[in-house]
Amino acid sequence: MQERSGLVTMKGNPLTLTGNILKVGDKAPEFEVTDNDMKPAGLSTFAGKVCIISSVPSLDTPVCDMETRRFNTEAAGLGNDIVILTISMDLPFAQKRWCGAAGVDKVVTLSDYKTASFGSAYGVLIKDLRLLARAVFVIDKKGIIQHIQIIKEIAEEPDYKAVIKAATGLV
């Protein structure tokens, strides 16, 4: 497993990411996560759709909360060909509770808590914390990565406009 230090920071302190190093044009790796009903899910679950995958440290933190609510709002205008997934290490029960309380019903929340399959496959697993870094991947209908944002400072939000533009340009 590859390690990269300093690609992301928390309050300015460098963190170490582990996992694959992906780039635009790569085939998006399959992964296995758990949905809010405790069933397995993965990239293949959303085959044939443009996928915006947003990885966040925890839905129960202010920036992750804002980001997921924003993507939920954006999802309303994207149509059926685009799906937005938010993946975190939060337990599926906590994700389901958070979505209900936040009124998030258009973003699919998935948990990587069991094996860190997504974090390792996409190179966003924070070694020291066993949380996911804040990152966004846009994957086309054929399973090719078309856009990547790994957010440098974990407390900052992604460039939503660039993500939405990348995704809508693939439909």
Side-chain angles (χ1 to χ4, degrees):
M1 190 164 309
Q2 296 178 314
E3 291 188 1
R4 297 174 289 168
S5 250
L7 191 61
V8 297
T9 59
M10 181 182 286
K11 297 180 181 171
N13 298 312
L15 299 170
T16 300
L17 297 182
T18 63
N20 296 328
I21 297 173
L22 302 177
K23 61 187 182 313
V24 170
D26 285 350
K27 179 156 181 47
E30 183 57 69
F31 54 87
E32 186 173 306
V33 291
T34 305
D35 72 14
N36 289 178
D37 294 321
M38 299 301 292
K39 294 187 175 90
L43 185 61
S44 57
T45 307
F46 306 95
K49 295 194 179 277
V50 171
C51 291
I52 297 172
I53 302 176
S54 164
S55 70
V56 299
S58 175
L59 292 172
D60 283 320
T61 60
V63 178
C64 300
D65 178 290
M66 274 190 312
E67 178 178 333
T68 306
R69 288 175 191 257
R70 170 74 183 267
F71 275 131
N72 190 64
T73 300
E74 296 286 353
L78 295 178
N80 294 330
D81 288 333
I82 299 174
V83 64
I84 301 178
L85 314 175
T86 294
I87 303 177
S88 72
M89 288 292 192
D90 297 309
L91 293 175
F93 313 111
Q95 290 181 337
K96 191 172 192 173
R97 173 193 47 74
W98 181 88
C99 286
V104 169
D105 57 356
K106 304 209 175 2
V107 167
V108 178
T109 55
L110 300 166
S111 177
D112 203 17
Y113 83 100
K114 280 186 181 176
T115 62
S117 168
F118 173 81
S120 297
Y122 284 72
V124 294
L125 180 62
I126 301 171
K127 182 179 179 180
D128 303 345
L129 304 174
R130 199 173 188 277
L131 294 173
L132 301 179
R134 187 174 316 285
V136 183
F137 300 86
V138 177
I139 301 165
D140 70 19
K141 292 179 179 184
K142 294 178 180 167
I144 305 300
I145 299 170
Q146 298 294 338
H147 181 85
I148 299 174
Q149 285 182 30
I150 296 180
I151 290 58
K152 173 77 172 158
E153 174 55 48
I154 215 161
E156 293 179 3
E157 294 176 81
D159 181 345
Y160 300 106
K161 286 183 182 173
V163 170
I164 300 304
K165 182 178 179 185
T168 55
L170 298 172
V171 178

